[in-house]
Amino acid sequence: MSKPSTLSGAVVTVFGGGGFIGNYVVQALLARGARVRVASRKPETSWPLKPLANLGQLQFARCDITRPEHITKALTGTDYAVNLVGAFAGDLNHLMGEAPGQIAAQAAANGVRGFVHVSAIGADESSPTAYAKGKGLGERLVMEGFENTTVLRPSIVFGKDDNFLNMFGGLIEMAPVLPVFGSDAKLQPVFVDDVAEAVAVALEDPATHGGKTFELGGPEVLTMMDINTRIAAAAGRDPKFMAMPDALSGLFAALPLTPMSRDQWALLKAGSVVADDANTLADLGIGARPLSLFLGKWMTRYRKFGRFGLANERNKRRVSNS
């Protein structure tokens, strides 16, 4: 029989728990017997998780972390806290810097036993991009407010319901020719369940993991062209990919109403790879799972004939080879 988790019965408040990563973090905590409070501007996005919780194990708090009084209410009676809030638009210094610092300071004042702050690879307070600057500011302020904070810096996070793989899958499904921006940019995609596990493991043992920063990446470093090619193959599609020159990509990102902002282009071009000397998933006892383990199943929806597409393609090859 496995050893009971130190989180069993404890109240864990997850700020930003209604988002993509948040839903997986909540599940990892529920599985350990924690009583989870989802603190989010739209907590109803996590209501589908209700069947996974025992009676009274899952709570919801409507919370805007830019309002200190909301943070105070959300932290009432909390044993452990997690901050997952992130964005690409708005006052990012406030949302991802000052507000997380306020969460950390209030958590420390309220006797919270452990705090995990999810940042991003490339976070840098001196960065010219608002996103990386806001994340960097947040890292400094949470450490100042709660010195035993565990900071997790994931690369691009993927999952079956993400906005990354599914965006490219949808584009590949529709278009026979596709531009690839930052085709040589190097990324280290990390599975969302592995990120959620990292959050839970760090919370379970703040004495060991607190005060440290971990960079979370998968077992493979891939370029944007690699990723697009793999998605197309898994979807049974054969589009023509066109690597776009950096100058043209930068011009595109500068235009209004495009799906990629200047900051997003700058971050993509810089890449997102775990540093050689960083603490990693392995240091948390977690084996990173590769993108290739899941793509075949997840990209079925983008096949020409859905789940029957692969069988049809195999039959065509058999006929052509006979």
Side-chain angles (χ1 to χ4, degrees), residues 70-110:
H70 282 202
I71 295 173
T72 300
K73 290 180 181 179
L75 284 173
T76 300
T78 295
D79 299 303
Y80 300 89
V82 179
N83 178 50
L84 301 170
V85 176
F88 282 103
D91 186 347
L92 302 189
N93 273 353
H94 191 186
L95 185 65
M96 300 194 301
E98 296 160 4
Q102 179 65 224
I103 293 173
Q106 288 203 34
N110 289 346

PDB file of all heavy atoms in Angstrom, residues 70-110:
ATOM      1  N   HIS A  70      -9.720  39.997  -2.595  1.00  0.00           N
ATOM      2  CA  HIS A  70     -10.096  38.687  -3.143  1.00  0.00           C
ATOM      3  C   HIS A  70      -9.066  37.631  -2.734  1.00  0.00           C
ATOM      4  O   HIS A  70      -9.426  36.496  -2.417  1.00  0.00           O
ATOM      5  CB  HIS A  70     -10.171  38.763  -4.671  1.00  0.00           C
ATOM      6  CG  HIS A  70     -11.418  39.399  -5.186  1.00  0.00           C
ATOM      7  ND1 HIS A  70     -11.900  39.178  -6.462  1.00  0.00           N
ATOM      8  CD2 HIS A  70     -12.292  40.264  -4.608  1.00  0.00           C
ATOM      9  CE1 HIS A  70     -13.006  39.868  -6.645  1.00  0.00           C
ATOM     10  NE2 HIS A  70     -13.259  40.549  -5.538  1.00  0.00           N
ATOM     11  N   ILE A  71      -7.785  38.012  -2.760  1.00  0.00           N
ATOM     12  CA  ILE A  71      -6.729  37.086  -2.351  1.00  0.00           C
ATOM     13  C   ILE A  71      -6.916  36.699  -0.885  1.00  0.00           C
ATOM     14  O   ILE A  71      -6.805  35.526  -0.516  1.00  0.00           O
ATOM     15  CB  ILE A  71      -5.340  37.735  -2.554  1.00  0.00           C
ATOM     16  CG1 ILE A  71      -5.082  37.982  -4.039  1.00  0.00           C
ATOM     17  CG2 ILE A  71      -4.243  36.851  -1.963  1.00  0.00           C
ATOM     18  CD1 ILE A  71      -3.815  38.782  -4.316  1.00  0.00           C
ATOM     19  N   THR A  72      -7.217  37.694  -0.052  1.00  0.00           N
ATOM     20  CA  THR A  72      -7.407  37.453   1.379  1.00  0.00           C
ATOM     21  C   THR A  72      -8.499  36.421   1.617  1.00  0.00           C
ATOM     22  O   THR A  72      -8.329  35.471   2.398  1.00  0.00           O
ATOM     23  CB  THR A  72      -7.760  38.761   2.095  1.00  0.00           C
ATOM     24  OG1 THR A  72      -6.702  39.710   1.913  1.00  0.00           O
ATOM     25  CG2 THR A  72      -7.966  38.522   3.583  1.00  0.00           C
ATOM     26  N   LYS A  73      -9.626  36.583   0.932  1.00  0.00           N
ATOM     27  CA  LYS A  73     -10.738  35.641   1.107  1.00  0.00           C
ATOM     28  C   LYS A  73     -10.376  34.246   0.605  1.00  0.00           C
ATOM     29  O   LYS A  73     -10.699  33.243   1.233  1.00  0.00           O
ATOM     30  CB  LYS A  73     -11.974  36.166   0.371  1.00  0.00           C
ATOM     31  CG  LYS A  73     -12.614  37.395   1.009  1.00  0.00           C
ATOM     32  CD  LYS A  73     -13.838  37.850   0.225  1.00  0.00           C
ATOM     33  CE  LYS A  73     -14.456  39.082   0.866  1.00  0.00           C
ATOM     34  NZ  LYS A  73     -15.647  39.572   0.093  1.00  0.00           N
ATOM     35  N   ALA A  74      -9.703  34.201  -0.527  1.00  0.00           N
ATOM     36  CA  ALA A  74      -9.363  32.902  -1.109  1.00  0.00           C
ATOM     37  C   ALA A  74      -8.382  32.135  -0.235  1.00  0.00           C
ATOM     38  O   ALA A  74      -8.390  30.898  -0.217  1.00  0.00           O
ATOM     39  CB  ALA A  74      -8.781  33.096  -2.505  1.00  0.00           C
ATOM     40  N   LEU A  75      -7.516  32.842   0.496  1.00  0.00           N
ATOM     41  CA  LEU A  75      -6.500  32.182   1.318  1.00  0.00           C
ATOM     42  C   LEU A  75      -6.999  31.810   2.714  1.00  0.00           C
ATOM     43  O   LEU A  75      -6.278  31.131   3.455  1.00  0.00           O
ATOM     44  CB  LEU A  75      -5.270  33.081   1.451  1.00  0.00           C
ATOM     45  CG  LEU A  75      -4.344  33.164   0.237  1.00  0.00           C
ATOM     46  CD1 LEU A  75      -3.264  34.222   0.459  1.00  0.00           C
ATOM     47  CD2 LEU A  75      -3.705  31.816  -0.057  1.00  0.00           C
ATOM     48  N   THR A  76      -8.196  32.213   3.059  1.00  0.00           N
ATOM     49  CA  THR A  76      -8.715  31.913   4.394  1.00  0.00           C
ATOM     50  C   THR A  76      -8.741  30.400   4.630  1.00  0.00           C
ATOM     51  O   THR A  76      -9.329  29.640   3.856  1.00  0.00           O
ATOM     52  CB  THR A  76     -10.135  32.482   4.561  1.00  0.00           C
ATOM     53  OG1 THR A  76     -10.101  33.895   4.377  1.00  0.00           O
ATOM     54  CG2 THR A  76     -10.685  32.158   5.942  1.00  0.00           C
ATOM     55  N   GLY A  77      -8.082  29.953   5.680  1.00  0.00           N
ATOM     56  CA  GLY A  77      -8.070  28.542   6.030  1.00  0.00           C
ATOM     57  C   GLY A  77      -7.205  27.677   5.130  1.00  0.00           C
ATOM     58  O   GLY A  77      -7.310  26.442   5.165  1.00  0.00           O
ATOM     59  N   THR A  78      -6.338  28.292   4.339  1.00  0.00           N
ATOM     60  CA  THR A  78      -5.519  27.546   3.380  1.00  0.00           C
ATOM     61  C   THR A  78      -4.258  26.986   4.033  1.00  0.00           C
ATOM     62  O   THR A  78      -3.576  27.675   4.797  1.00  0.00           O
ATOM     63  CB  THR A  78      -5.119  28.459   2.203  1.00  0.00           C
ATOM     64  OG1 THR A  78      -6.292  28.834   1.487  1.00  0.00           O
ATOM     65  CG2 THR A  78      -4.161  27.762   1.260  1.00  0.00           C
ATOM     66  N   ASP A  79      -3.926  25.725   3.712  1.00  0.00           N
ATOM     67  CA  ASP A  79      -2.687  25.100   4.173  1.00  0.00           C
ATOM     68  C   ASP A  79      -1.561  25.232   3.146  1.00  0.00           C
ATOM     69  O   ASP A  79      -0.399  25.390   3.505  1.00  0.00           O
ATOM     70  CB  ASP A  79      -2.929  23.611   4.453  1.00  0.00           C
ATOM     71  CG  ASP A  79      -3.966  23.390   5.545  1.00  0.00           C
ATOM     72  OD1 ASP A  79      -3.762  23.904   6.654  1.00  0.00           O
ATOM     73  OD2 ASP A  79      -4.995  22.717   5.276  1.00  0.00           O
ATOM     74  N   TYR A  80      -1.918  25.128   1.853  1.00  0.00           N
ATOM     75  CA  TYR A  80      -0.947  25.218   0.764  1.00  0.00           C
ATOM     76  C   TYR A  80      -1.577  26.053  -0.352  1.00  0.00           C
ATOM     77  O   TYR A  80      -2.803  26.090  -0.490  1.00  0.00           O
ATOM     78  CB  TYR A  80      -0.591  23.834   0.209  1.00  0.00           C
ATOM     79  CG  TYR A  80       0.023  22.889   1.207  1.00  0.00           C
ATOM     80  CD1 TYR A  80      -0.780  22.063   1.997  1.00  0.00           C
ATOM     81  CD2 TYR A  80       1.407  22.786   1.348  1.00  0.00           C
ATOM     82  CE1 TYR A  80      -0.230  21.187   2.916  1.00  0.00           C
ATOM     83  CE2 TYR A  80       1.975  21.909   2.254  1.00  0.00           C
ATOM     84  CZ  TYR A  80       1.158  21.108   3.036  1.00  0.00           C
ATOM     85  OH  TYR A  80       1.711  20.238   3.944  1.00  0.00           O
ATOM     86  N   ALA A  81      -0.719  26.691  -1.157  1.00  0.00           N
ATOM     87  CA  ALA A  81      -1.236  27.519  -2.245  1.00  0.00           C
ATOM     88  C   ALA A  81      -0.409  27.318  -3.516  1.00  0.00           C
ATOM     89  O   ALA A  81       0.778  26.999  -3.468  1.00  0.00           O
ATOM     90  CB  ALA A  81      -1.240  28.993  -1.856  1.00  0.00           C
ATOM     91  N   VAL A  82      -1.082  27.515  -4.642  1.00  0.00           N
ATOM     92  CA  VAL A  82      -0.456  27.398  -5.962  1.00  0.00           C
ATOM     93  C   VAL A  82      -0.893  28.594  -6.793  1.00  0.00           C
ATOM     94  O   VAL A  82      -2.080  28.958  -6.770  1.00  0.00           O
ATOM     95  CB  VAL A  82      -0.901  26.102  -6.680  1.00  0.00           C
ATOM     96  CG1 VAL A  82      -0.258  26.014  -8.067  1.00  0.00           C
ATOM     97  CG2 VAL A  82      -0.567  24.869  -5.856  1.00  0.00           C
ATOM     98  N   ASN A  83       0.032  29.207  -7.516  1.00  0.00           N
ATOM     99  CA  ASN A  83      -0.345  30.268  -8.454  1.00  0.00           C
ATOM    100  C   ASN A  83      -0.028  29.841  -9.877  1.00  0.00           C
ATOM    101  O   ASN A  83       1.113  29.533 -10.208  1.00  0.00           O
ATOM    102  CB  ASN A  83       0.386  31.578  -8.157  1.00  0.00           C
ATOM    103  CG  ASN A  83       0.023  32.649  -9.173  1.00  0.00           C
ATOM    104  OD1 ASN A  83      -1.157  32.894  -9.436  1.00  0.00           O
ATOM    105  ND2 ASN A  83       1.014  33.256  -9.789  1.00  0.00           N
ATOM    106  N   LEU A  84      -1.062  29.832 -10.729  1.00  0.00           N
ATOM    107  CA  LEU A  84      -0.928  29.427 -12.128  1.00  0.00           C
ATOM    108  C   LEU A  84      -1.281  30.547 -13.093  1.00  0.00           C
ATOM    109  O   LEU A  84      -1.270  30.339 -14.309  1.00  0.00           O
ATOM    110  CB  LEU A  84      -1.858  28.234 -12.415  1.00  0.00           C
ATOM    111  CG  LEU A  84      -1.650  26.966 -11.605  1.00  0.00           C
ATOM    112  CD1 LEU A  84      -2.802  25.995 -11.859  1.00  0.00           C
ATOM    113  CD2 LEU A  84      -0.329  26.302 -11.957  1.00  0.00           C
ATOM    114  N   VAL A  85      -1.607  31.720 -12.587  1.00  0.00           N
ATOM    115  CA  VAL A  85      -2.146  32.783 -13.431  1.00  0.00           C
ATOM    116  C   VAL A  85      -1.098  33.284 -14.435  1.00  0.00           C
ATOM    117  O   VAL A  85       0.049  33.558 -14.080  1.00  0.00           O
ATOM    118  CB  VAL A  85      -2.652  33.959 -12.575  1.00  0.00           C
ATOM    119  CG1 VAL A  85      -3.130  35.104 -13.467  1.00  0.00           C
ATOM    120  CG2 VAL A  85      -3.779  33.493 -11.656  1.00  0.00           C
ATOM    121  N   GLY A  86      -1.520  33.376 -15.692  1.00  0.00           N
ATOM    122  CA  GLY A  86      -0.658  33.899 -16.742  1.00  0.00           C
ATOM    123  C   GLY A  86      -1.501  34.461 -17.870  1.00  0.00           C
ATOM    124  O   GLY A  86      -2.671  34.091 -18.026  1.00  0.00           O
ATOM    125  N   ALA A  87      -0.925  35.370 -18.645  1.00  0.00           N
ATOM    126  CA  ALA A  87      -1.655  35.981 -19.760  1.00  0.00           C
ATOM    127  C   ALA A  87      -0.659  36.603 -20.721  1.00  0.00           C
ATOM    128  O   ALA A  87       0.524  36.783 -20.389  1.00  0.00           O
ATOM    129  CB  ALA A  87      -2.631  37.041 -19.260  1.00  0.00           C
ATOM    130  N   PHE A  88      -1.123  36.926 -21.927  1.00  0.00           N
ATOM    131  CA  PHE A  88      -0.287  37.605 -22.916  1.00  0.00           C
ATOM    132  C   PHE A  88      -0.754  39.035 -23.160  1.00  0.00           C
ATOM    133  O   PHE A  88      -0.114  39.767 -23.910  1.00  0.00           O
ATOM    134  CB  PHE A  88      -0.292  36.835 -24.237  1.00  0.00           C
ATOM    135  CG  PHE A  88       0.604  35.629 -24.235  1.00  0.00           C
ATOM    136  CD1 PHE A  88       0.062  34.360 -24.113  1.00  0.00           C
ATOM    137  CD2 PHE A  88       1.983  35.760 -24.347  1.00  0.00           C
ATOM    138  CE1 PHE A  88       0.883  33.241 -24.096  1.00  0.00           C
ATOM    139  CE2 PHE A  88       2.811  34.650 -24.332  1.00  0.00           C
ATOM    140  CZ  PHE A  88       2.259  33.381 -24.206  1.00  0.00           C
ATOM    141  N   ALA A  89      -1.872  39.416 -22.542  1.00  0.00           N
ATOM    142  CA  ALA A  89      -2.407  40.758 -22.765  1.00  0.00           C
ATOM    143  C   ALA A  89      -2.792  41.393 -21.432  1.00  0.00           C
ATOM    144  O   ALA A  89      -3.071  40.695 -20.461  1.00  0.00           O
ATOM    145  CB  ALA A  89      -3.623  40.696 -23.686  1.00  0.00           C
ATOM    146  N   GLY A  90      -2.808  42.723 -21.412  1.00  0.00           N
ATOM    147  CA  GLY A  90      -3.164  43.447 -20.207  1.00  0.00           C
ATOM    148  C   GLY A  90      -1.926  43.977 -19.505  1.00  0.00           C
ATOM    149  O   GLY A  90      -0.826  44.011 -20.065  1.00  0.00           O
ATOM    150  N   ASP A  91      -2.093  44.382 -18.250  1.00  0.00           N
ATOM    151  CA  ASP A  91      -0.983  44.882 -17.440  1.00  0.00           C
ATOM    152  C   ASP A  91      -0.250  43.675 -16.865  1.00  0.00           C
ATOM    153  O   ASP A  91      -0.539  43.210 -15.760  1.00  0.00           O
ATOM    154  CB  ASP A  91      -1.514  45.786 -16.327  1.00  0.00           C
ATOM    155  CG  ASP A  91      -0.394  46.452 -15.536  1.00  0.00           C
ATOM    156  OD1 ASP A  91       0.783  46.028 -15.687  1.00  0.00           O
ATOM    157  OD2 ASP A  91      -0.685  47.376 -14.748  1.00  0.00           O
ATOM    158  N   LEU A  92       0.722  43.154 -17.611  1.00  0.00           N
ATOM    159  CA  LEU A  92       1.374  41.901 -17.234  1.00  0.00           C
ATOM    160  C   LEU A  92       2.283  42.054 -16.021  1.00  0.00           C
ATOM    161  O   LEU A  92       2.469  41.093 -15.267  1.00  0.00           O
ATOM    162  CB  LEU A  92       2.146  41.334 -18.428  1.00  0.00           C
ATOM    163  CG  LEU A  92       1.299  41.059 -19.677  1.00  0.00           C
ATOM    164  CD1 LEU A  92       2.124  40.301 -20.722  1.00  0.00           C
ATOM    165  CD2 LEU A  92       0.044  40.268 -19.342  1.00  0.00           C
ATOM    166  N   ASN A  93       2.845  43.230 -15.811  1.00  0.00           N
ATOM    167  CA  ASN A  93       3.646  43.449 -14.603  1.00  0.00           C
ATOM    168  C   ASN A  93       2.782  43.318 -13.354  1.00  0.00           C
ATOM    169  O   ASN A  93       3.223  42.804 -12.328  1.00  0.00           O
ATOM    170  CB  ASN A  93       4.304  44.829 -14.630  1.00  0.00           C
ATOM    171  CG  ASN A  93       5.641  44.811 -15.345  1.00  0.00           C
ATOM    172  OD1 ASN A  93       6.153  43.760 -15.712  1.00  0.00           O
ATOM    173  ND2 ASN A  93       6.210  45.990 -15.542  1.00  0.00           N
ATOM    174  N   HIS A  94       1.549  43.784 -13.464  1.00  0.00           N
ATOM    175  CA  HIS A  94       0.634  43.686 -12.327  1.00  0.00           C
ATOM    176  C   HIS A  94       0.109  42.250 -12.189  1.00  0.00           C
ATOM    177  O   HIS A  94       0.177  41.668 -11.108  1.00  0.00           O
ATOM    178  CB  HIS A  94      -0.531  44.662 -12.497  1.00  0.00           C
ATOM    179  CG  HIS A  94      -1.362  44.820 -11.257  1.00  0.00           C
ATOM    180  ND1 HIS A  94      -2.533  45.560 -11.228  1.00  0.00           N
ATOM    181  CD2 HIS A  94      -1.214  44.318 -10.009  1.00  0.00           C
ATOM    182  CE1 HIS A  94      -3.048  45.512 -10.013  1.00  0.00           C
ATOM    183  NE2 HIS A  94      -2.269  44.760  -9.251  1.00  0.00           N
ATOM    184  N   LEU A  95      -0.380  41.694 -13.288  1.00  0.00           N
ATOM    185  CA  LEU A  95      -1.032  40.391 -13.251  1.00  0.00           C
ATOM    186  C   LEU A  95      -0.067  39.254 -12.925  1.00  0.00           C
ATOM    187  O   LEU A  95      -0.395  38.346 -12.157  1.00  0.00           O
ATOM    188  CB  LEU A  95      -1.711  40.120 -14.598  1.00  0.00           C
ATOM    189  CG  LEU A  95      -2.541  38.844 -14.693  1.00  0.00           C
ATOM    190  CD1 LEU A  95      -3.747  38.909 -13.770  1.00  0.00           C
ATOM    191  CD2 LEU A  95      -3.003  38.618 -16.137  1.00  0.00           C
ATOM    192  N   MET A  96       1.133  39.287 -13.512  1.00  0.00           N
ATOM    193  CA  MET A  96       2.061  38.172 -13.330  1.00  0.00           C
ATOM    194  C   MET A  96       3.248  38.530 -12.439  1.00  0.00           C
ATOM    195  O   MET A  96       4.099  37.684 -12.169  1.00  0.00           O
ATOM    196  CB  MET A  96       2.568  37.686 -14.694  1.00  0.00           C
ATOM    197  CG  MET A  96       1.453  37.213 -15.616  1.00  0.00           C
ATOM    198  SD  MET A  96       2.017  36.286 -17.060  1.00  0.00           S
ATOM    199  CE  MET A  96       3.074  37.478 -17.864  1.00  0.00           C
ATOM    200  N   GLY A  97       3.292  39.786 -11.978  1.00  0.00           N
ATOM    201  CA  GLY A  97       4.377  40.214 -11.114  1.00  0.00           C
ATOM    202  C   GLY A  97       3.895  40.633  -9.738  1.00  0.00           C
ATOM    203  O   GLY A  97       4.092  39.934  -8.753  1.00  0.00           O
ATOM    204  N   GLU A  98       3.245  41.795  -9.672  1.00  0.00           N
ATOM    205  CA  GLU A  98       2.841  42.348  -8.382  1.00  0.00           C
ATOM    206  C   GLU A  98       1.771  41.508  -7.691  1.00  0.00           C
ATOM    207  O   GLU A  98       1.844  41.286  -6.472  1.00  0.00           O
ATOM    208  CB  GLU A  98       2.339  43.783  -8.586  1.00  0.00           C
ATOM    209  CG  GLU A  98       3.427  44.731  -9.082  1.00  0.00           C
ATOM    210  CD  GLU A  98       2.863  45.983  -9.738  1.00  0.00           C
ATOM    211  OE1 GLU A  98       1.623  46.145  -9.737  1.00  0.00           O
ATOM    212  OE2 GLU A  98       3.664  46.787 -10.258  1.00  0.00           O
ATOM    213  N   ALA A  99       0.782  41.042  -8.443  1.00  0.00           N
ATOM    214  CA  ALA A  99      -0.297  40.253  -7.826  1.00  0.00           C
ATOM    215  C   ALA A  99       0.211  38.931  -7.237  1.00  0.00           C
ATOM    216  O   ALA A  99      -0.139  38.583  -6.105  1.00  0.00           O
ATOM    217  CB  ALA A  99      -1.416  40.012  -8.842  1.00  0.00           C
ATOM    218  N   PRO A 100       1.028  38.152  -7.967  1.00  0.00           N
ATOM    219  CA  PRO A 100       1.595  36.943  -7.343  1.00  0.00           C
ATOM    220  C   PRO A 100       2.430  37.275  -6.104  1.00  0.00           C
ATOM    221  O   PRO A 100       2.441  36.500  -5.127  1.00  0.00           O
ATOM    222  CB  PRO A 100       2.466  36.355  -8.448  1.00  0.00           C
ATOM    223  CG  PRO A 100       1.819  36.807  -9.708  1.00  0.00           C
ATOM    224  CD  PRO A 100       1.342  38.201  -9.405  1.00  0.00           C
ATOM    225  N   GLY A 101       3.140  38.423  -6.121  1.00  0.00           N
ATOM    226  CA  GLY A 101       3.887  38.836  -4.939  1.00  0.00           C
ATOM    227  C   GLY A 101       2.961  39.063  -3.760  1.00  0.00           C
ATOM    228  O   GLY A 101       3.285  38.717  -2.615  1.00  0.00           O
ATOM    229  N   GLN A 102       1.778  39.623  -4.030  1.00  0.00           N
ATOM    230  CA  GLN A 102       0.779  39.836  -2.991  1.00  0.00           C
ATOM    231  C   GLN A 102       0.252  38.497  -2.462  1.00  0.00           C
ATOM    232  O   GLN A 102       0.068  38.318  -1.248  1.00  0.00           O
ATOM    233  CB  GLN A 102      -0.368  40.668  -3.549  1.00  0.00           C
ATOM    234  CG  GLN A 102      -1.500  40.959  -2.580  1.00  0.00           C
ATOM    235  CD  GLN A 102      -1.080  41.827  -1.412  1.00  0.00           C
ATOM    236  OE1 GLN A 102      -1.434  41.557  -0.267  1.00  0.00           O
ATOM    237  NE2 GLN A 102      -0.327  42.876  -1.686  1.00  0.00           N
ATOM    238  N   ILE A 103       0.028  37.545  -3.373  1.00  0.00           N
ATOM    239  CA  ILE A 103      -0.417  36.207  -2.943  1.00  0.00           C
ATOM    240  C   ILE A 103       0.621  35.588  -2.013  1.00  0.00           C
ATOM    241  O   ILE A 103       0.297  35.051  -0.948  1.00  0.00           O
ATOM    242  CB  ILE A 103      -0.638  35.288  -4.158  1.00  0.00           C
ATOM    243  CG1 ILE A 103      -1.815  35.770  -4.999  1.00  0.00           C
ATOM    244  CG2 ILE A 103      -0.880  33.840  -3.709  1.00  0.00           C
ATOM    245  CD1 ILE A 103      -1.983  35.005  -6.310  1.00  0.00           C
ATOM    246  N   ALA A 104       1.884  35.668  -2.424  1.00  0.00           N
ATOM    247  CA  ALA A 104       2.959  35.070  -1.627  1.00  0.00           C
ATOM    248  C   ALA A 104       3.063  35.720  -0.253  1.00  0.00           C
ATOM    249  O   ALA A 104       3.211  35.032   0.773  1.00  0.00           O
ATOM    250  CB  ALA A 104       4.277  35.208  -2.378  1.00  0.00           C
ATOM    251  N   ALA A 105       2.999  37.050  -0.208  1.00  0.00           N
ATOM    252  CA  ALA A 105       3.119  37.759   1.067  1.00  0.00           C
ATOM    253  C   ALA A 105       1.962  37.417   2.001  1.00  0.00           C
ATOM    254  O   ALA A 105       2.162  37.172   3.202  1.00  0.00           O
ATOM    255  CB  ALA A 105       3.178  39.271   0.820  1.00  0.00           C
ATOM    256  N   GLN A 106       0.746  37.377   1.457  1.00  0.00           N
ATOM    257  CA  GLN A 106      -0.403  37.030   2.285  1.00  0.00           C
ATOM    258  C   GLN A 106      -0.347  35.569   2.716  1.00  0.00           C
ATOM    259  O   GLN A 106      -0.738  35.231   3.842  1.00  0.00           O
ATOM    260  CB  GLN A 106      -1.701  37.317   1.526  1.00  0.00           C
ATOM    261  CG  GLN A 106      -2.030  38.776   1.366  1.00  0.00           C
ATOM    262  CD  GLN A 106      -3.521  39.011   1.145  1.00  0.00           C
ATOM    263  OE1 GLN A 106      -4.362  38.301   1.681  1.00  0.00           O
ATOM    264  NE2 GLN A 106      -3.838  40.019   0.349  1.00  0.00           N
ATOM    265  N   ALA A 107       0.152  34.701   1.845  1.00  0.00           N
ATOM    266  CA  ALA A 107       0.276  33.284   2.205  1.00  0.00           C
ATOM    267  C   ALA A 107       1.233  33.129   3.382  1.00  0.00           C
ATOM    268  O   ALA A 107       0.959  32.374   4.334  1.00  0.00           O
ATOM    269  CB  ALA A 107       0.770  32.482   1.003  1.00  0.00           C
ATOM    270  N   ALA A 108       2.356  33.834   3.334  1.00  0.00           N
ATOM    271  CA  ALA A 108       3.321  33.761   4.428  1.00  0.00           C
ATOM    272  C   ALA A 108       2.712  34.301   5.724  1.00  0.00           C
ATOM    273  O   ALA A 108       2.881  33.704   6.801  1.00  0.00           O
ATOM    274  CB  ALA A 108       4.581  34.540   4.065  1.00  0.00           C
ATOM    275  N   ALA A 109       2.001  35.415   5.626  1.00  0.00           N
ATOM    276  CA  ALA A 109       1.390  36.026   6.816  1.00  0.00           C
ATOM    277  C   ALA A 109       0.319  35.130   7.418  1.00  0.00           C
ATOM    278  O   ALA A 109       0.088  35.159   8.640  1.00  0.00           O
ATOM    279  CB  ALA A 109       0.801  37.389   6.440  1.00  0.00           C
ATOM    280  N   ASN A 110      -0.324  34.307   6.585  1.00  0.00           N
ATOM    281  CA  ASN A 110      -1.405  33.432   7.056  1.00  0.00           C
ATOM    282  C   ASN A 110      -0.911  32.056   7.483  1.00  0.00           C
ATOM    283  O   ASN A 110      -1.713  31.180   7.786  1.00  0.00           O
ATOM    284  CB  ASN A 110      -2.461  33.271   5.953  1.00  0.00           C
ATOM    285  CG  ASN A 110      -3.271  34.536   5.729  1.00  0.00           C
ATOM    286  OD1 ASN A 110      -3.232  35.455   6.541  1.00  0.00           O
ATOM    287  ND2 ASN A 110      -3.997  34.594   4.628  1.00  0.00           N
TER     288      ASN A 110
END
